[in-house]
């Protein structure tokens, strides 16, 4: 599809529906160009127990896509001169940051180059390590950013600050605490006022798994074979995901709201012109090797794919947890936005790549 030509809505619809059927996608998909809808549809069940179907207007948890919201809120404070990217994080957090290596800065936390240990290491045997974590630390106790501190505060650093990038949610927990410290307000209130309200995200917020809220999809885990050989049925994620959102993930949004956020970010409605440019500039390599032919970089809460010429092909973020699978992508050459929100573990990945291939040719 060319940069200036229209997106082929029929081809996009065909690709999405074929991929959704092949990979068992459950959720909503919205594709827009220049703010105008190109494709929107929903698949699967918002509640499997009650056979309530998903709709395009269903609200879904978005997991780590929320890191983009945290980053924007921090960058707004940078714009206001209340904190600087090079400021050391420990003094800003007071007693809560006393254990931090003194060289760790706000920028290190934003770009995931701090080197601090994470509250959960996503790079190992995910299932086994998550089971061990939840056995030692009941998930229902994780309600606020401060609740995560005992899971990583004081652990030995993994590498020196600024040495390299390593995906890290703990740094974003600290950024959430920083927002609370500098504003004197709860994290959720800051994000609502500084991000959701400014981007006209009327259907976005912070919904705990045990709250009863209309229009919110339940998170589902597909059947699997247990250790004893028995096969489980479908399960909800109420015992396997953190109950409430934190600064590293967990907001609840519609697909349209996420598309609106991406547009608001790049159009300067959330940040001034200079800070918008900085927010949408790759900062550090995510990995040395190319994947799918792209160079992968990370910025301030934003993931970037670059081609061989160093041009950004796509930016956005992914989100994964039990019963949640989300993608928010912007394609600058096409002025196209893609929001894929799923409520079955891992269901957005294959569809995201199939749609990416359809858009990039």
């Amino acid at each position: 599809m060319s940069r200036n030509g229209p997106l082929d809505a029929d081809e996009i619809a065909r690709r999405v529906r074929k991929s959704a059927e092949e990979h068992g996608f459950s959720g909503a998909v919205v594709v827009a160009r220049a703010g105008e809808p190109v494709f929107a549809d929903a698949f699967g069940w918002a509640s499997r127990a009650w056979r309530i179907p998903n709709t395009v207007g269903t609200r879904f948890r978005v997991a780590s896509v929320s890191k983009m919201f945290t980053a924007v809120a921090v960058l707004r404070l940078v714009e206001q001169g209340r904190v600087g990217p090079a400021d050391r994080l420990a003094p800003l957090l007071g007693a809560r940051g006393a254990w931090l290596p003194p060289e760790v800065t706000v920028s290190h936390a934003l770009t995931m180059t701090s080197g601090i240990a994470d509250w959960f290491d996503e790079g190992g045997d995910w299932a086994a390590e998550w089971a061990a974590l939840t056995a030692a630390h009941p998930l229902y106790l994780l309600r606020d950013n401060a609740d995560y501190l005992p899971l990583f505060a004081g652990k030995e650093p993994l590498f020196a600050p600024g040495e390299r990038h390593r995906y890290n949610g703990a740094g974003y927990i600290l950024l959430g605490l920083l927002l609370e410290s500098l504003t004197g307000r709860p994290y959720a209130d800051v994000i609502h006022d500084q991000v959701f309200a400014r981007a006209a995200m009327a259907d976005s917020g912070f919904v705990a798994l045990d709250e009863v809220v209309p229009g919110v999809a339940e998170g589902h885990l597909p059947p699997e074979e247990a250790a004893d050989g028995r096969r489980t049925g479908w399960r909800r994620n109420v015992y396997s995901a953190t109950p409430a959102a934190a600064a590293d993930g967990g907001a609840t949004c519609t697909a349209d709201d996420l598309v609106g956020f991406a547009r608001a970010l790049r159009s300067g409605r959330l940040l001034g012109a200079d800070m918008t440019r900085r927010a949408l500039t790759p900062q550090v390599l995510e990995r040395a090797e190319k994947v799918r032919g792209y160079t992968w970089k990370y910025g301030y809460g934003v993931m970037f794919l670059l081609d061989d010429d160093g041009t950004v092909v796509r930016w956005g973020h992914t989100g994964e947890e039990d019963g949640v699978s989300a993608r928010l992508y912007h394609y600058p050459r096409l002025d196209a936005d893609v929001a894929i929100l799923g409520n079955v573990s891992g269901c957005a990945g294959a569809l995201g790549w199939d749609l990416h291939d359809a858009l990039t040719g």
Side-chain angles (χ1 to χ4, degrees), residues 283-328:
Q283 301 293 325
V284 296
L285 274 174
E286 282 196 32
R287 62 200 80 195
E289 72 281 2
K290 291 184 177 181
V291 177
R292 290 180 175 260
Y294 297 109
T295 298
W296 294 58
K297 289 191 171 184
Y298 203 81
Y300 298 135
V302 183
M303 297 172 169
F304 298 88
L305 297 191
L306 288 77
D307 64 16
D308 290 338
D309 296 326
T311 301
V312 174
V313 175
R314 185 183 86 189
W315 59 256
H317 216 290
T318 64
E320 294 286 347
E321 61 185 23
D322 280 349
V324 178
S325 190
R327 303 289 187 272
L328 173 61

Side-chain angles (χ1 to χ4, degrees), residues 18-315:
K18 180 175 184 290
S19 181
E21 181 179 356
E22 289 179 349
H23 301 293
F25 175 74
S26 175
V29 181
V30 169
V31 180
R33 187 178 196 187
E36 296 299 321
V38 174
F39 172 84
D41 204 354
F43 308 84
W45 303 104
S47 171
R48 297 188 69 87
W50 294 100
R51 311 303 279 179
I52 298 171
N54 283 316
T55 70
V56 173
T58 299
R59 301 167 68 192
F60 297 85
R61 206 169 187 187
V62 301
S64 286
V65 172
S66 301
K67 288 182 172 71
M68 299 183 75
F69 309 150
T70 300
V72 166
V74 171
L75 293 177
R76 282 189 57 77
L77 293 183
V78 172
E79 272 193 322
Q80 296 163 10
R82 301 174 69 178
V83 69
D87 288 353
R88 296 187 176 194
L89 200 49
L92 296 170
L93 294 174
R96 286 175 168 171
W99 57 275
L100 275 168
E103 300 83 9
V104 172
T105 66
V106 173
S107 181
H108 288 142
L110 283 167
T111 59
M112 300 186 182
T113 57
S114 68
I116 64 171
D118 208 347
W119 71 268
F120 175 66
D121 186 0
E122 300 186 21
D125 184 340
W126 195 98
E129 292 182 11
W130 185 250
L133 172 71
T134 57
H137 302 276
L139 290 180
Y140 63 82
L141 298 177
L142 300 176
R143 294 279 176 173
D144 296 300
N145 288 304
D147 296 335
Y148 289 79
L149 281 173
L151 300 181
F152 64 92
K155 287 185 177 180
E156 284 296 313
L158 304 176
F159 51 85
E163 181 180 298
R164 57 188 172 89
H165 169 92
R166 179 184 173 93
Y167 195 83
N168 184 285
Y172 273 73
I173 295 293
L174 296 179
L175 292 173
L177 293 172
L178 175 66
L179 288 171
E180 294 177 343
S181 176
L182 293 179
T183 65
R185 306 180 65 208
Y187 167 80
D189 290 352
V190 175
I191 300 302
H192 179 273
D193 291 349
Q194 299 301 317
V195 181
F196 297 160
R198 295 173 67 87
M201 299 168 68
D203 294 315
S204 296
F206 296 91
V207 179
L209 293 182
D210 53 1
E211 285 187 82
V212 179
V213 178
V216 176
E218 298 174 350
H220 298 130
L221 283 69
E224 60 182 11
E225 188 170 308
D228 59 6
R230 292 183 298 174
R231 189 163 181 80
T232 66
W234 283 92
R235 294 177 293 136
R236 288 187 57 194
N237 64 346
V238 291
Y239 296 118
S240 58
T242 53
D248 69 335
T252 298
C253 307
T254 62
D256 280 332
D257 269 6
L258 280 192
V259 167
F261 166 78
R263 186 164 179 79
L265 176 57
R266 66 180 183 273
S267 67
R269 285 164 49 202
L270 297 177
L271 301 165
D274 180 63
M275 192 58 69
T276 297
R277 179 188 58 78
R278 292 166 66 180
L280 298 179
T281 298
Q283 301 293 325
V284 296
L285 274 174
E286 282 196 32
R287 62 200 80 195
E289 72 281 2
K290 291 184 177 181
V291 177
R292 290 180 175 260
Y294 297 109
T295 298
W296 294 58
K297 289 191 171 184
Y298 203 81
Y300 298 135
V302 183
M303 297 172 169
F304 298 88
L305 297 191
L306 288 77
D307 64 16
D308 290 338
D309 296 326
T311 301
V312 174
V313 175
R314 185 183 86 189
W315 59 256

